[in-house]
């Protein structure tokens, strides 16, 4: 059974909610999933999973959620070759840097050598209205990982 790690940084609870939708769907699809707040995950934990999903909201001028910054920095130079990954997060398209943190996470996964298995999930506005979209995204990834 493939193993996945869903790591999120959440200030208002929106990214945590998205992470829950994703993790629950993957479990339903037969993926062994661990979900955790970035403050509770060690960067070395990434090495123990075939699939790594990173989620963050975007703040200020396109920055990561505060709790995610140190984890992101600690990923520098890490090799995730042979791993698969994707990024997700909520945002508000009325801001100039819509979901820029999601782009940062996807780029970091690529830089570390992970294969990006799906386009980033960027949710505009209310995440409860995007539950179906998040579940479809997760199911698509689960199907790829199981194949």
């Amino acid at each position: 059974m493939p193993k996945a790690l869903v790591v999120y940084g959440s200030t208002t609870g929106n990214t945590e909610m998205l992470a829950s939708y994703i993790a629950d769907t993957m479990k339903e699809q037969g993926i062994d999933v661990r979900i955790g707040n970035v403050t509770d995950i060690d960067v070395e934990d990434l090495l123990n999973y075939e699939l790594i999903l990173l989620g963050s909201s975007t703040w200020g001028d396109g920055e990561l959620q505060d709790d995610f910054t140190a984890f992101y920095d600690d990923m520098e130079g890490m090799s995730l070759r042979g791993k698969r990954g994707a990024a997700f997060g909520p945002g508000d398209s009325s801001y100039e840097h819509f979901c820029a943190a999601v782009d940062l996470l996807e780029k970091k996964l690529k830089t570390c050598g992970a294969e990006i298995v799906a386009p980033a999930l960027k949710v505009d506005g209310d995440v409860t209205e995007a539950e179906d979209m998040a579940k479809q995204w997760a199911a698509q990834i689960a199907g790829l990982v199981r194949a």
Side-chain angles (χ1 to χ4, degrees):
M1 176 184 304
K3 289 174 52 175
L5 178 61
V6 180
V7 182
Y8 65 87
S10 192
T11 300
T12 63
N14 288 326
T15 310
E16 181 177 10
M17 190 179 304
L18 273 179
S20 292
Y21 296 153
I22 292 164
D24 290 348
T25 300
M26 293 202 141
K27 287 175 186 173
E28 292 167 5
Q29 298 284 323
I31 307 294
D32 180 10
V33 179
R34 176 182 175 198
I35 181 174
N37 189 304
V38 70
T39 60
D40 299 325
I41 304 289
D42 186 282
V43 73
E44 294 296 320
D45 292 341
L46 300 177
L47 300 175
N48 299 321
Y49 296 87
E50 291 99 329
L51 176 64
I52 301 160
L53 303 176
L54 304 179
S56 175
S57 50
T58 301
W59 294 87
D61 290 325
E63 290 108 27
L64 292 165
Q65 187 267 349
D66 285 342
D67 295 334
F68 224 113
T69 304
F71 188 91
Y72 177 89
D73 291 344
D74 288 346
M75 287 178 69
E76 190 64 36
M78 174 176 249
S79 175
L80 296 177
R81 281 178 180 44
K83 309 287 184 190
R84 295 175 170 184
F88 65 93
D92 183 337
S93 62
S94 68
Y95 287 91
E96 180 182 354
H97 303 286
F98 173 66
C99 286
V102 177
D103 295 334
L104 288 172
L105 293 176
E106 183 176 78
K107 184 175 179 182
K108 181 63 84 173
L109 286 165
K110 284 181 187 175
T111 300
C112 292
E115 173 194 353
I116 302 303
V117 293
L121 174 65
K122 298 178 180 181
V123 174
D124 189 7
D126 187 352
V127 297
T128 58
E129 294 177 10
E131 180 177 359
D132 288 341
M133 180 173 62
K135 288 180 174 184
Q136 289 172 1
W137 185 79
Q140 173 193 358
I141 293 172
L144 293 170
V145 173
R146 282 192 327 261

